[in-house]
Amino acid sequence: MQDNADTEHRGLPIPDWRKVESRAWTALEVQGVGVNLLQGDKVSNGWIADPIALGFRQRHFIVALALRMNTYPTREFLARGRGKEGAACRQ
């Protein structure tokens, strides 16, 4: 007999960590911008399942994941906690 191990343990509900992390990520001031637009989108997320078949090298895959998660070190990201003068775009 298989119990409902995915949703309960000893009668207590087990939270879905993916939803919890997704909400926390969406709430981030810089990295969370636009995250909710791509959640559950199979076309936008399809390349993540088999990057080797698409020709990604490991280093390119890591950079692509960082770009996808909005954690690539941009000027805005690196300037967090400091004055905005370092985050401005070059003109």
Side-chain angles (χ1 to χ4, degrees):
M1 182 173 127
Q2 182 180 9
D3 64 325
N4 200 0
D6 292 339
T7 58
E8 288 189 8
H9 177 69
R10 297 183 184 175
L12 300 172
I14 297 175
D16 184 357
W17 64 270
R18 289 176 190 89
K19 290 180 183 177
V20 173
E21 289 297 319
S22 178
R23 274 184 257 143
W25 183 21
T26 304
L28 294 174
E29 187 176 332
V30 176
Q31 293 91 345
V33 175
V35 170
N36 57 345
L37 298 174
L38 298 173
Q39 288 177 338
D41 185 5
K42 293 184 181 194
V43 173
S44 297
N45 298 324
W47 62 273
I48 298 172
D50 194 5
I52 295 172
L54 297 173
F56 277 94
R57 291 184 177 165
Q58 184 176 10
R59 63 187 172 141
H60 296 143
F61 181 63
I62 291 170
V63 170
L65 283 176
L67 286 168
R68 178 67 177 82
M69 295 184 300
N70 291 337
T71 57
Y72 192 77
T74 61
R75 288 179 183 256
E76 182 180 12
F77 177 75
L78 294 174
R80 283 193 74 200
R82 296 187 233 155
K84 291 291 183 182
E85 63 274 350
C89 295
R90 294 182 186 175
Q91 296 192 16

